[in-house]
Amino acid sequence: MFEYFFQCPYCWEEISVLLDPSVSQQAYIEDCENCCNPIEITVSFEGGELIFFEAVNIEQ
Ligand SMILES: [Zn+2]
């Protein structure tokens, strides 16, 4: 697994997620571990390398 650190779009705390580099396209909802708001996470891997990461506020 691949641990990625990013800022929560709600509370701006730095949090981390565990990503699976064997799945090339991933999109899912994860609750912030600090403020518990739902974050939509979109990830792309290519050849095991992270090429795209986006974490957005789903209430926008
Ligand atoms: Zn948060």
Side-chain angles (χ1 to χ4, degrees):
M1 296 295 269
F2 184 103
E3 188 171 24
Y4 188 81
F5 291 87
F6 66 100
Q7 279 189 315
C8 171
Y10 297 92
C11 67
W12 302 106
E13 282 292 315
E14 188 176 72
I15 58 175
S16 67
V17 285
L18 286 173
L19 305 173
D20 181 357
S22 68
V23 182
S24 62
Q25 297 283 332
Q26 302 171 53
Y28 58 97
I29 305 293
E30 176 129 334
D31 292 341
C32 174
E33 62 195 37
N34 183 57
C35 69
C36 300
N37 282 301
I39 304 163
E40 182 174 21
I41 293 173
T42 307
V43 178
S44 296
F45 283 96
E46 194 173 280
E49 298 277 312
L50 183 68
I51 56 166
F52 179 80
F53 182 93
E54 186 178 64
V56 299
N57 174 340
I58 64 165
E59 291 169 359
Q60 276 177 343

